[in-house]
């Protein structure tokens, strides 16, 4: 341990990777640890209390998603919800075929889950959005389902989910809404939807799998009394309550936060665009309110992340040098935008205008220094 | 035609070297960039678009760029 050293205050600008528990969720979590320990399926008072908390949590999440409570299954993460969504649809629709249409910018969890199926990949425009008619045109007679994320986790661009759903008709659409729920209105048209509590200020360890009534979906587990075979075992009640409370808080704050964060993101977009040879990527308007991505020519992403960290700013990068593989981000490649020198900034309810100004104060100098080191 | 050998160099070095080599070309000249970094297939065309130069095609490990301005 060192003392007396001057350490800059840490400003996390990576809420899209994870964010601290919402204070209301923290309180709910502690309450539920005390009050929600009983098995909700038993017939005594403590169990009834637990049942109430479980039903309330499910109803709250359902309401935000525009779903019915019985359509909601709680899983262990957004990733497991996506895996289970792909598996359940593929299995239920096996007789139709094993062909899947998905966008080129899906989360890697979806790409992994569909890897063993026969896939058609729909490209995106420079903005990162698919063209709805192109997605629909990729559907074949043996298409089991389509996958389209609601909003890109890397660049924030919204996808035309409702339009695509309408065009593909009876083909079910799996919508990865992990980055969108709690930030923007959930689009209509999903057949199966996945979301993640930690992305909206809830605890890690809770995912949501929503399956519309009437959509053929094969349970992947022995059917126990907990979640009808869609997810095994007793759900972690305190975590679910905290997730539901965090979501309700996020939605309640979202009208104000939407305006505030869009303003801050617009400020970042404008300031970053004045740095020479920096490209802001993603749709400038049809996007998530809190997320902005840009790429700096001649700079490597890892050095940029480390230099910003040394100044107290925590951001993520889609550049290949920051990933475990040598491959650049498949999202940036699909968009045809520069993959090196890439930075994703994502804001949260605790991000202030001062944080953004201080970030914008150090960024141009860091980029210039790194370029000078590279000899350009 | 000039050749720029960036084999074994990691991104963004190939693009940096390409930018440094550009002033030594006449407008209209072609240069071949040799790069086996997976990011080059994306970043060389992206650089051309951002800098107003001509990406004339290619795939790993050979890419063709024309100086347009």
């Amino acid at each position: 341990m060192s003392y007396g050293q001057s350490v800059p205050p840490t400003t996390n600008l990576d809420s899209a990777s994870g964010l601290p528990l919402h204070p209301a969720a923290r309180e709910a979590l502690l309450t539920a640890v005390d009050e929600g320990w009983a098995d909700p399926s038993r017939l005594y008072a403590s169990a009834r209390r637990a049942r109430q908390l479980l039903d309330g949590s499910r109803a709250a999440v359902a309401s935000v998603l525009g779903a019915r409570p019985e359509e909601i299954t709680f899983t262990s993460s957004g990733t497991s919800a996506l895996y289970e969504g792909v598996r359940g649809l593929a299995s239920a629709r096996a007789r139709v075929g094993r062909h899947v249409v998905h966008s080129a910018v899906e989360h890697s969890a979806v790409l992994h889950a569909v890897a063993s199926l026969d896939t058609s990949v729909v490209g995106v425009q420079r903005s990162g959005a698919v063209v709805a008619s192109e997605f629909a045109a990729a559907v074949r007679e043996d298409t089991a389902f389509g996958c389209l994320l609601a909003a890109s986790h890397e660049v924030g661009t919204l996808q035309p989910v409702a339009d695509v759903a309408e065009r593909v008709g009876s083909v079910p659409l799996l919508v990865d809404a992990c980055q969108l729920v709690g930030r923007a209105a959930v689009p209509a048209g999903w057949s199966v939807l996945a979301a993640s509590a930690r992305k909206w200020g809830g605890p890690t360890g809770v995912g949501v799998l929503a399956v519309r009534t009437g959509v053929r979906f094969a349970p992947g587990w022995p059917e126990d009394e907990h979640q009808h075979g869609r997810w095994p075992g007793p759900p972690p009640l305190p975590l679910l309550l905290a997730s539901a409370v965090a979501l309700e808080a996020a939605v309640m704050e979202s009208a104000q936060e939407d305006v505030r964060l869009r303003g801050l993101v617009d400020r970042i977009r404008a300031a970053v665009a004045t740095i020479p040879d920096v490209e802001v990527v993603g749709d400038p308007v049809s996007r998530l309110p809190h997320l902005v991505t840009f790429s700096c020519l001649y700079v490597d992403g890892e050095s940029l992340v480390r230099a910003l960290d040394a100044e107290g700013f925590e951001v993520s990068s889609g550049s290949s040098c920051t990933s475990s593989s040598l491959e650049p981000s498949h999202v940036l490649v699909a968009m045809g935008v520069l993959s090196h020198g890439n930075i994703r900034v994502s804001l949260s309810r605790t991000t202030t205008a001062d944080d953004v100004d201080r970030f914008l104060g150090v960024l141009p100098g860091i980029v210039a220094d790194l370029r000078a080191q590279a000899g350009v | 035609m000039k050749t720029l050998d960036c084999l074994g160099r990691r991104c963004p070095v190939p693009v940096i070297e390409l930018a440094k080599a550009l002033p030594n070309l006449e407008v209209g000249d072609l240069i071949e960039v040799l790069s086996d970094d997976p990011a080059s297939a994306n970043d060389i065309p992206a650089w051309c678009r951002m800098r107003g130069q001509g990406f004339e095609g290619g795939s790993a490990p050979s890419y063709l760029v024309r100086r347009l301005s």
Side-chain angles (χ1 to χ4, degrees):
Chain A
M1 248 182 162
S2 63
Y3 296 94
Q5 215 176 344
S6 156
V7 180
T10 300
T11 306
N12 185 278
L13 300 175
D14 192 21
S15 67
S17 293
L19 68 172
L21 264 186
H22 192 287
R26 192 172 182 281
E27 205 173 306
L29 179 63
L30 296 176
T31 307
V33 166
D34 291 335
E35 294 186 20
W37 50 268
D39 181 342
S41 58
R42 298 292 175 253
L43 298 173
Y44 39 77
S46 326
R48 282 196 295 278
R49 176 75 189 126
R51 166 59 61 188
Q52 252 178 354
L53 294 178
L54 178 61
D55 290 350
S57 304
R58 182 171 275 121
V61 170
S63 153
V64 171
L65 300 184
R68 298 201 287 213
E70 63 270 25
E71 294 173 335
I72 303 294
T73 300
F74 291 110
T75 68
S76 60
S77 64
T79 303
S80 60
L82 286 169
Y83 288 172
E84 193 59 7
V86 166
R87 195 211 48 72
L89 282 172
S91 171
R93 301 264 299 171
R95 255 192 266 170
V96 176
R98 53 196 311 279
H99 177 244
V100 178
V101 177
H102 67 81
S103 86
V105 295
E106 295 302 303
H107 191 276
S108 56
V110 169
L111 301 183
H112 292 145
V114 301
S116 63
L117 300 166
D118 174 17
T119 56
S120 292
V121 183
V122 181
V124 295
Q125 307 166 82
R126 179 75 27 86
S127 69
V130 298
V131 175
S133 59
E134 285 177 15
F135 195 101
V139 169
R140 311 189 308 218
E141 260 185 20
D142 63 337
T143 301
F145 60 97
C147 298
L148 183 60
L149 78 177
S152 170
H153 54 291
E154 280 194 42
V155 300
T157 301
L158 299 177
Q159 298 291 344
V161 170
D163 192 2
V164 166
E166 205 162 293
R167 286 168 191 264
V168 302
S170 61
V171 174
L173 194 62
L174 168 62
V175 173
D176 169 6
C178 289
Q179 205 55 254
L180 174 134
V181 172
R183 302 280 186 184
V186 176
W190 56 268
S191 312
V192 175
L193 179 142
S196 167
R198 68 195 284 247
K199 305 291 189 191
W200 69 59
T204 301
V206 177
V208 177
L209 172 70
V211 181
R212 278 274 184 243
T213 308
V215 172
R216 286 176 58 102
F217 193 89
W221 303 90
E223 193 155 332
D224 62 24
E225 74 271 31
H226 300 293
Q227 300 199 78
H228 310 290
R230 286 201 178 148
W231 199 254
L237 197 39
L239 297 182
L240 302 192
L241 182 71
S243 300
V245 168
L247 182 56
E248 284 185 323
V251 168
M252 203 164 68
E253 292 164 4
S254 70
Q256 256 188 329
E257 280 295 272
D258 187 273
V259 175
R260 190 181 75 88
L261 295 178
R262 273 179 200 279
L264 293 179
V265 164
D266 286 343
R267 197 187 296 192
I268 297 173
R269 292 182 75 96
V272 163
T274 65
I275 305 173
D277 294 320
V278 173
E279 185 174 42
V280 184
V281 303
D283 195 297
V285 180
S286 180
R287 61 171 173 80
L288 292 174
H290 67 300
L291 195 154
V292 54
T293 304
F294 52 90
S295 294
C296 309
L297 207 48
Y298 312 132
V299 174
D300 88 81
E302 183 178 349
S303 304
L304 199 46
V305 169
R306 289 189 193 285
L308 284 165
D309 182 47
E311 294 288 335
F313 296 99
E314 302 175 337
V315 298
S316 77
S317 169
S319 296
S320 55
C321 44
T322 62
S323 73
S324 47
S325 70
L326 291 178
E327 298 292 329
S329 146
H330 68 278
V331 175
L332 301 176
V333 169
M335 294 165 67
V337 298
L338 199 68
S339 75
H340 71 247
N342 178 261
I343 291 293
R344 178 186 71 182
V345 172
S346 47
L347 313 179
S348 73
R349 53 189 293 282
T350 58
T351 310
T352 64
D354 178 59
D355 293 336
V356 167
D357 287 343
R358 287 185 300 107
F359 171 75
L360 293 174
V362 301
L363 181 69
I366 289 174
V367 171
D369 284 352
L370 291 172
R371 283 176 176 164
Q373 284 169 28
V376 282
Chain B
M1 184 172 65
K2 286 193 178 175
T3 296
L4 192 61
D5 185 352
C6 298
L7 295 173
R9 312 288 307 270
R10 292 291 318 278
C11 161
V13 171
V15 171
I16 291 173
E17 293 304 318
L18 175 58
K20 286 180 183 168
L22 196 77
N24 303 324
L25 302 177
E26 300 293 327
V27 172
D29 277 0
L30 269 179
I31 185 167
E32 179 188 32
V33 184
L34 296 178
S35 172
D36 50 8
D37 185 287
S40 288
N42 181 69
D43 283 11
I44 291 175
W47 177 85
C48 290
R49 178 175 56 75
M50 286 172 75
R51 300 296 308 182
Q53 306 301 330
F55 182 68
E56 301 280 327
S59 58
S62 168
Y63 304 90
L64 289 180
V65 174
R66 190 181 300 280
R67 181 173 177 185
L68 297 181
S69 59

